[in-house]
Amino acid sequence: VELDESGTLLAVWRRFGDPPEPPTGPWAYFGFVELFRYSGGAWVHAATIPAVDADCATMGLSGDGNTLVRSCGDSVEVRRAPGWQRVAVLPNTVYSTLYSPEPRDVAVSHDGTGFAVRSVISLAGGGGSDSQAWVNVYRLGTGGWAREASLAPGEWCDGQSTPEDPNEGFGMSIAMSRDGRFVAVRAAGNVVPGHGVVYPPTTWSPGL
């Protein structure tokens, strides 16, 4: 679920939906979003955003409640209130690996002009170390939406996997600051010793 900063708009991800027409792909039922608005002392259903012909497994809602971002298969879509029409579709490949089912997350800035989303690609048609994971950052400018950066893990290793191995959990949780200037990325497989934040690049040594 996602809640805007005012606490009056609630977005709920629904795994399966009931489209009025037969699905056009194997994942067409996945990723419905139900929107509810708090008004007059009660929660009122405001809108249903249907799934597309892809697995829309996660979403992010801006703090002002006007922008919804969904990761859907090989793309990420941006929708805007009040009609929640799709205003942009941007490339963002997600390849599901054995230990990272639906391995993605989305974080949106307060005003909805920036967001960060996880991306995983398969390098050789396989999983594990044959894939790479990173976090793409998109920004809305005068020319429209554009990818601002692709964030990758630092130079760490557990002795068995590469830093980009999606099974190591890089980017499975993402947070963005209110102004969109800072992004925090989960890196669960980082085994560098010590306390607090370790800024990459760091060096792994056998025996640590």
Side-chain angles (χ1 to χ4, degrees):
V1 299
E2 292 281 335
L3 193 66
D4 73 343
E5 191 173 271
S6 69
T8 60
L9 179 67
L10 176 67
V12 181
W13 180 81
R14 188 154 63 100
R15 185 179 181 91
F16 296 105
D18 301 306
E21 300 178 0
T24 57
W27 304 112
Y29 288 130
F30 272 46
F32 274 56
V33 175
E34 304 289 357
L35 296 172
F36 298 87
R37 180 79 64 179
Y38 187 77
S39 177
W43 288 96
V44 180
H45 184 264
T48 296
I49 299 177
V52 295
D53 189 14
D55 178 9
C56 299
T58 194
M59 63 181 174
L61 182 66
S62 63
D64 62 10
N66 291 320
T67 303
L68 182 77
V69 180
R70 290 198 303 181
S71 179
C72 299
D74 289 336
S75 64
V76 58
E77 65 171 20
V78 182
R79 291 177 177 265
R80 292 281 296 173
W84 299 106
Q85 299 299 312
R86 187 165 58 184
V87 297
V89 179
L90 306 165
N92 190 71
T93 299
V94 176
Y95 168 79
S96 183
T97 63
L98 179 61
Y99 300 107
S100 298
E102 300 170 1
R104 63 196 83 171
D105 195 16
V106 178
V108 189
S109 66
H110 179 269
D111 63 2
T113 61
F115 67 88
V117 57
R118 191 186 196 219
S119 176
V120 180
I121 66 168
S122 173
L123 300 179
S129 59
D130 293 328
S131 303
Q132 288 186 340
W134 61 84
V135 172
N136 288 325
V137 180
Y138 286 90
R139 192 80 59 185
L140 179 62
T142 55
W145 286 95
R147 187 169 63 185
E148 184 177 76
S150 291
L151 310 178
E155 297 176 358
W156 54 268
C157 187
D158 61 5
Q160 299 178 349
S161 307
T162 63
E164 298 84 8
D165 184 349
N167 295 329
E168 294 299 316
F170 183 79
M172 290 189 72
S173 295
I174 309 170
M176 176 174 275
S177 63
R178 193 178 192 276
D179 60 6
R181 294 181 56 213
F182 295 90
V183 176
V185 180
R186 172 192 175 188
N190 191 334
V191 296
V192 175
H195 299 283
V197 177
V198 182
Y199 187 82
T202 57
T203 302
W204 179 85
S205 298
L208 290 179

